[in-house]
Amino acid sequence: MEDFKTIIEPFKIKMVEPIHLSTFEQRKQYLKNANYNTFALDSNKVIIDFLTDSGTSAMSSNQWAGIMQGDESYAGASSWHKMRAAIFDLTGHEFILPTHQGRAGESILYGYLGGMGKIFISNTHFDTTRANIEFSGAEAIDIPCEEGKSPKTYHPFKGNMDVVKLEKLIAEKGAANIAGVILTVTNNSGGGQPVSMENAKAVGVICKKHKINFFLDCCRVAENAYFIKLREKGYENKTYKEIAQEMFSLTDGAVMSAKKDALVNMGGFLSLRNEEMATACKNLLIITEGFETYGGLSGRDMEAIAIGLQEVFEADYLHYRIRSTTFLGERLREMGVPLIWPIGGHAVYIDAKELYSHIPVHEYPGQALVCDLYLTGGIRAVEIGSVMFGKYDEHGKLIPAPMELVRLAIPRRVYTQSHIEYVIEVFEKLLKNKDNSKGVIITEEPKFLRHFTSKFKRIE
Ligand SMILES: *Cc1c(COP(=O)(O)O)cnc(C)c1O
């Protein structure tokens, strides 16, 4: 698009979903009823929902038209052939297994390759990836590059894997024990930061040399391609799709959660080059998901995925997508909000420990900020800090997480520029009052994954 300052959505709105514009007084009551845990809020009590970008995309009129054409035949549906063709075109992987979402593909592939004594290595395993690997008895090791560990210094590809460490780990553990190397693009847990083609190539060369499987966790491969075209030399004139195709060409397989860059609300796939591996995985697919031409999906889902995988690579879409996320981050940064820099593809991560420096970590500054964002403007965000990852020592004292972050994850094609302007205004208001903000204490918590169901009290 030409060089205008205003980021316009490259789409018109054909169908609208009303937002209930609650008042401050109402939100006070809603939040209290939810015990200060925004996961316990009903979505109709939220004005701007930045809880996740997963499965929250708006589909296009073309995708909805595709839904009506879904072929619901048990075997050999035309919708399956369309989805298969779209994925083959992108990945070049011969064997494609449809799954109901990303983790189902992970469970099949890593369950098959994993097991006691096996090792997987990644730039950063996403939490479901790690869980599936560890559930099989195998070990998951993260080796993000050094730049990726420093939240505030600029680097164009903070999602990269540390390839020197990769070589070292292979030498130390033995190539035969390494069941796979997984490159997560963009690196979700590392702040949605991109991986360069140079890095992917280097990982590919090392894997080939040692005959180790190289997989892509490709949920956000289109967003990653945008950053490569923008920041990596030699890719200026390639299309986003060509960049993604080149990255897939380096790999032996891929797992995708279609809930991200396939622009649908549910779905996923596993794609493989090796026939033997694919046959074994297909057997597992049939037991756990469904027959190999639908897996965990209905025909209409497969239609929508086939179309979404085309649309996500459109230049105007990707430009709007990344620019509007970056715009939000840049504006907040100018206002003095400390955040992870540079801004990644799908989310803005705020450093709550620094923003709420008057709140000690055992009073959960991230959760306090999540509460304030909701109270001030009905914005739902998620704490990624000591509520999510904190542990207790033997005396019951909190062992805090390394960072107290709050994530604003932006759903695809859902909110407009004026929604983003509103969010910025909510922050302006919040900043004026931030020094009076109080922390929270946990009054009830489950044993695992406590962020979902814990109850809190606000300190008076
Ligand atoms: C979302 C996600 C997954 C898991 O996919 P689901 O569809 O949620 O099961 C795996 N890896 C990454 C990087 C993700 O973002």
Side-chain angles (χ1 to χ4, degrees):
M1 188 164 137
E2 288 164 281
D3 212 16
F4 286 106
K5 265 212 321 272
T6 310
I7 304 159
I8 68 161
E9 294 71 31
F11 47 79
K12 294 187 285 185
I13 295 166
K14 188 182 289 251
M15 192 189 288
V16 295
E17 183 179 346
I19 298 175
H20 164 50
L21 299 177
S22 53
T23 63
F24 178 74
E25 286 307 317
Q26 285 173 324
R27 290 194 294 273
K28 243 165 71 178
Q29 196 55 48
Y30 296 156
L31 191 62
K32 190 161 172 245
N33 295 347
N35 297 296
Y36 300 91
N37 187 337
T38 50
F39 278 102
L41 282 171
D42 285 338
S43 62
N44 64 7
K45 300 196 168 55
V46 174
I47 296 178
I48 305 283
D49 207 342
F50 283 169
L51 194 62
T52 177
D53 67 317
S54 178
T56 52
S57 302
M59 291 206 295
S60 66
S61 51
N62 252 330
Q63 283 176 298
W64 281 108
I67 292 253
M68 298 309 291
Q69 297 192 349
D71 177 354
E72 305 302 341
S73 306
Y74 193 94
S78 60
S79 302
W80 155 246
H81 290 298
K82 284 187 207 166
M83 171 167 155
R84 194 196 170 280
I87 297 168
F88 179 68
D89 174 43
L90 188 60
T91 63
H93 299 150
E94 180 77 23
F95 304 99
I96 292 159
L97 288 69
T99 62
H100 81 277
Q101 64 184 91
R103 69 196 68 182
E106 295 176 333
S107 156
I108 289 169
L109 181 61
Y110 306 139
Y112 168 65
L113 292 173
M116 241 11 130
K118 294 287 181 190
I119 295 160
F120 288 86
I121 302 170
S122 177
N123 47 345
T124 310
H125 294 85
F126 181 65
D127 51 16
T128 60
T129 319
R130 172 175 289 277
N132 272 302
I133 288 169
E134 290 176 351
F135 187 71
S136 82
E139 188 187 354
I141 302 175
D142 292 338
I143 47 165
C145 65
E146 276 310 309
E147 295 88 350
K149 294 182 200 162
S150 137
K152 279 170 202 161
T153 40
Y154 181 88
H155 185 275
F157 293 105
K158 282 171 121 172
N160 283 353
M161 182 181 280
D162 186 333
V163 287
V164 176
K165 266 202 193 135
L166 177 61
E167 283 275 25
K168 255 202 213 143
L169 263 176
I170 295 170
E172 194 182 302
K173 308 276 184 187
N177 298 316
I178 298 170
V181 171
I182 305 163
L183 205 50
T184 312
V185 299
T186 58
N187 191 359
N188 185 357
S189 310
Q193 298 290 329
V195 174
S196 70
M197 191 69 80
E198 186 188 11
N199 190 249
K201 279 183 184 163
V203 172
V205 167
I206 294 170
C207 288
K208 209 162 237 133
K209 187 170 82 186
H210 297 282
K211 299 197 168 59
I212 296 171
N213 298 309
F214 176 21
F215 301 118
L216 218 54
D217 180 343
C218 66
C219 303
R220 298 179 182 80
V221 69
E223 293 176 4
N224 199 84
Y226 182 88
F227 287 111
I228 289 180
K229 187 174 162 88
L230 187 72
R231 297 179 183 166
E232 190 164 352
K233 247 185 97 177
Y235 289 90
E236 303 83 354
N237 299 320
K238 293 239 156 89
T239 66
Y240 299 116
K241 193 165 169 189
E242 284 166 351
I243 293 171
Q245 284 166 326
E246 181 175 340
M247 197 170 261
F248 281 112
S249 76
L250 308 167
T251 64
D252 300 300
V255 178
M256 182 171 198
S257 166
K259 298 170 74 173
K260 286 62 174 247
D261 270 356
L263 299 171
V264 295
N265 305 114
M266 190 53 75
F269 67 81
L270 163 60
S271 62
L272 295 165
R273 246 186 242 292
N274 178 291
E275 184 162 12
E276 199 185 313
M277 201 185 292
T279 304
C281 287
K282 272 184 191 168
N283 287 331
L284 293 169
L285 180 80
I286 292 171
I287 296 169
T288 59
E289 290 283 289
F291 183 62
E292 64 181 56
T293 65
Y294 72 87
L297 296 169
S298 54
R300 50 183 170 270
D301 292 333
M302 296 193 283
E303 286 279 342
I305 290 170
I307 299 164
L309 283 175
Q310 309 288 340
E311 290 179 352
V312 77
F313 287 103
E314 283 169 11
D316 288 343
Y317 161 74
L318 270 178
H319 182 72
Y320 139 82
R321 165 70 178 159
I322 305 294
R323 272 304 304 152
S324 78
T325 308
T326 308
F327 175 80
L328 174 61
E330 281 172 349
R331 288 290 297 275
L332 295 182
R333 192 171 187 246
E334 283 161 24
M335 285 157 52
V337 177
L339 35 79
I340 293 194
W341 190 255
I343 304 299
H346 68 289
V348 174
Y349 292 73
I350 297 159
D351 183 344
K353 192 158 38 179
E354 190 177 327
L355 185 68
Y356 280 4
S357 55
H358 60 290
I359 300 178
V361 289
H362 66 271
E363 291 174 6
Y364 303 105
Q367 193 63 26
L369 176 58
V370 165
C371 289
D372 289 347
L373 280 168
Y374 179 71
L375 286 173
T376 312
I379 299 167
R380 175 152 69 173
V382 63
E383 193 257 21
I384 302 186
S386 293
V387 172
M388 200 179 264
F389 298 123
K391 299 208 163 67
Y392 296 110
D393 68 10
E394 67 267 33
H395 309 294
K397 196 166 167 281
L398 177 78
I399 307 168
M403 290 196 269
E404 304 295 333
L405 301 175
V406 167
R407 184 183 76 178
L408 309 174
I410 323 284
R412 294 170 182 78
R413 300 195 293 207
V414 171
Y415 294 114
T416 64
Q417 177 69 3
S418 76
H419 287 117
I420 300 290
E421 299 278 1
Y422 168 80
V423 172
I424 291 162
E425 207 179 321
V426 170
F427 268 91
E428 276 168 8
K429 203 161 176 180
L430 184 145
L431 287 182
K432 286 193 192 124
N433 259 320
K434 77 176 180 70
D435 295 334
N436 302 320
S437 179
K438 298 280 195 290
V440 300
I441 49 173
I442 296 179
T443 57
E444 252 183 78
E445 61 183 296
K447 209 158 172 206
F448 297 107
L449 297 170
R450 65 180 186 165
H451 55 285
F452 289 127
T453 52
S454 280
K455 295 181 178 173
F456 302 90
K457 230 175 76 184
R458 204 94 204 240
I459 296 166
E460 293 298 331

